[in-house]
Structure formats: C-alpha cells, structure tokens
Amino acid sequence: MKFLYDDGSFSFEALRAAGYAVYGGADLGEVLVTWRQIPEGDEEAWSAQWAATAARIERIGRDALAGGHRVSAREALLRASNYYRTADFYRRENPAADAESARLARASRQTFADAAALLDTPARALRIPYEDTTLPGYLFLADDSGTPRPTVLFHGGYDSTLEEDYFALAAGALRRGYNVIAFDGPGQGSTVREQGLHFRPDWEAVVTPVVDGDPVRDTRHGVRLGRLDQLVAGRTRAPASTATRVRCSCSTSAPSTGSTPCSPADLAACRRTGPARETTGRSPVAPSMASRRGPRGRRGGRTPR
C-alpha cells in the first residue's frame, strides 16, 4: 500500500508519522501540508520541512502554555515531538557528527517531556539502573488513585525512540486501564548518542533490571506484568528469573527478524492476564507500528538506526 509517496520508505515513514494521529501524535492537515513541500525521495527536504512543521507546532504549544491553556499546549507539544523525530529519521550518514540530527533529537525529547508533565496524570521520568549507568524511561499511570493495576513493560526497536513509545502503545494502554513502563534499551533512542550504548543479543540482561526495579514494584502491587517489544533483531525474551512475574511476553516484529511476533491470540492472552477492562475491541498498539516492510526487506526499506 502506498501512502502519499511512491517511494516505499517515504510512504512508510509518512504513514508512521500520520498514524499516530489516533493518539494525539499528529494532525492529518499538518501532515498533508508538510508532504506537499517534500519531493519524492528528497531526504534533505524531508528533514527541513518536517523540522519546520515541528518548530511551528512547538511555538503554538509554547504560546498556549504561556497563556495557561494546558490541554492545547499538551496536544501541540506531543505533535511537535513526533514531527521532530520524523525530521531526524533520514539523517543517518554520520549522526555522531551531525549537529542538526542532535538538535532534532533533543527537541523531540524536550517537547515530549514538557507535554508529559501536562498529562492528566503526569508521567514520571525514570533512570533505570543498568550495569554502571542508567537507561531512560517513563512511568505512565492510568490515574492517580493508587489502585493496583496490570503493568505493561514496553520498548521499541531499531529506529524507535522512548518518546514514540507513548503513541505506539502507552496512550492506548492507559485508556484501557493499564499502567505502562516504557524505556529505551542500549542501542535505542538517546542511549546511542548520549551514552555510547549499543544493542546486545542477550536482551534479558536489559529487561531484568527493569522488571526488578522500583517502578515495577511500586505500580503492580502483586498484579500481573506483561511485556511487549517491537522489531529487535534476534529473540528477545523475559529473563528466566522473572518468569513468575512476567505473565505474557511477545513481540510486534515480523518473523524475518527472528522474533516470535504477537498474534491476535497473543495480544488477547496479554489482556486476559489482568483485570483491566477493554472498552473497545482494538489492540492498544497504534496501527502505524504494525509489522510492515519496505521493498528492500527492512522496515521502511532503509538502514535502521
């Protein structure tokens, strides 16, 4: 299926950006206005035009916040975060030395952090102990009642970011009564540029400190814990030491990555592990993050970051 572009990668990434509209990460009018300024396959124009849209929407959010309009500010800053991430996507030639890439990544993180503080139940930024450093994360609570709820652990994949995790899963899970702990593992998001961390095959060494950390103990209160991941090469698995605590675990990645993908039955099983009530028949996973492939066999057909 083509969306706005004939180029498979541009089509996928435009759909990815627009798909988050369902959870406040985009506005279709803003997406279409940006699309009209970007020639087919022009990665420089892609970065420049998405960055311009992001900056414009951020200004709207900052002005709304200064005027005391909390909801309008939150909504604009969430969209700006997604647009900054989209602007940075193709800047992969030499990201370690790319000052504009670093600026866009920081802007995506900062606009999201400012929006997260404006959620009805503000998100809590986490630093999760990991070896001799920490991993960034967020704790999202369905409400501030302190009611024990099932907790979902979630991380993205090759080219995902922690902030994107909110649109991909957390927002939908919160609506359905789940708490969510989202985090970037080594090799994901800011951990590469800011900390020099890279992917590792024994992913249980990453998940274990998250499962054993204080945020999980504080939120689940003995109720069931589930884990979802996206597009991480090789098999990612819940550590054996936590098998009695992680009641379901699956991946939204396609079989070609080597991971076991989430089927509808898997997602249903994860929902059955806890008492959270489903208000609709839809999975909390946003549609644009389903396992789609570009024409060259990789997600979006481009080298993942």
Side-chain angles (χ1 to χ4, degrees):
M1 182 188 77
K2 295 179 181 178
F3 181 73
L4 302 181
Y5 295 99
D6 291 327
D7 179 89
S9 181
F10 268 37
S11 174
F12 179 88
E13 293 305 325
L15 180 60
R16 177 177 176 180
Y20 291 138
V22 68
Y23 291 126
D27 175 270
L28 187 57
E30 294 163 359
V31 171
L32 294 176
V33 167
T34 308
W35 157 69
R36 291 184 63 183
Q37 308 302 315
I38 304 173
E40 188 86 31
D42 188 334
E43 295 181 359
E44 290 187 7
W46 175 283
S47 181
Q49 293 302 323
W50 278 111
T53 296
R56 178 171 65 85
I57 302 307
E58 181 183 3
R59 286 194 297 271
I60 292 173
R62 301 295 180 198
D63 289 345
L65 187 58
H69 305 294
R70 180 187 179 97
V71 174
S72 296
R74 177 182 69 207
E75 291 178 350
L77 292 171
L78 285 173
R79 300 198 308 277
S81 176
N82 184 36
Y83 298 157
Y84 279 124
R85 178 200 60 78
T86 303
D88 185 40
F89 184 79
Y90 289 113
R91 304 189 69 91
R92 301 276 75 86
E93 289 299 321
N94 187 12
D98 187 338
E100 176 63 3
S101 176
R103 183 190 73 83
L104 293 170
R106 285 195 303 269
S108 180
R109 293 196 300 271
Q110 189 60 58
T111 49
F112 183 85
D114 294 342
L118 300 174
L119 294 173
D120 292 338
T121 302
R124 173 183 160 195
L126 305 175
R127 296 303 306 188
I128 300 165
Y130 169 73
E131 296 188 338
D132 59 352
T133 183
T134 60
L135 299 174
Y138 276 104
L139 169 62
F140 300 99
L141 298 176
D143 57 39
D144 59 2
S145 67
T147 302
R149 295 179 182 277
T151 299
V152 177
L153 302 184
F154 181 68
H155 61 76
Y158 281 123
D159 53 24
S160 302
T161 67
L162 170 60
E163 295 72 30
E164 187 183 13
D165 292 349
Y166 175 78
F167 308 113
L169 181 131
L174 291 169
R175 291 184 187 181
R176 291 159 175 82
Y178 293 84
N179 293 328
V180 178
I181 294 175
F183 66 98
D184 273 342
Q188 299 174 310
S190 65
T191 67
V192 181
R193 178 181 278 120
E194 304 294 332
Q195 298 172 262
L197 300 178
H198 300 282
F199 279 107
R200 57 188 296 170
D202 54 339
W203 202 251
E204 66 272 21
V206 178
V207 177
T208 297
V210 182
V211 173
D212 290 342
D214 291 339
V216 169
R217 289 196 295 269
D218 292 345
T219 58
R220 62 188 173 88
H221 299 292
V223 301
R224 296 173 179 86
L225 183 68
R227 183 182 71 96
L228 294 172
D229 68 75
Q230 289 182 322
L231 202 61
V232 176
R235 294 188 178 274
T236 63
R237 57 193 183 276
S241 64
T242 62
T244 60
R245 285 168 284 164
V246 179
R247 301 301 179 90
C248 68
S249 178
C250 62
S251 170
T252 59
S253 51
S256 61
T257 66
S259 297
T260 301
C262 291
S263 67
D266 292 328
L267 292 171
C270 283
R271 288 197 292 269
R272 287 196 299 271
T273 63
R277 184 175 220 169
E278 284 286 312
T279 56
T280 74
R282 297 177 58 185
S283 162
V285 179
S288 68
M289 294 304 292
S291 297
R292 300 186 180 96
R293 296 286 158 179
R296 290 179 286 281
R298 292 188 290 256
R299 180 175 165 189
R302 299 282 174 157
T303 301
R305 75 187 202 186

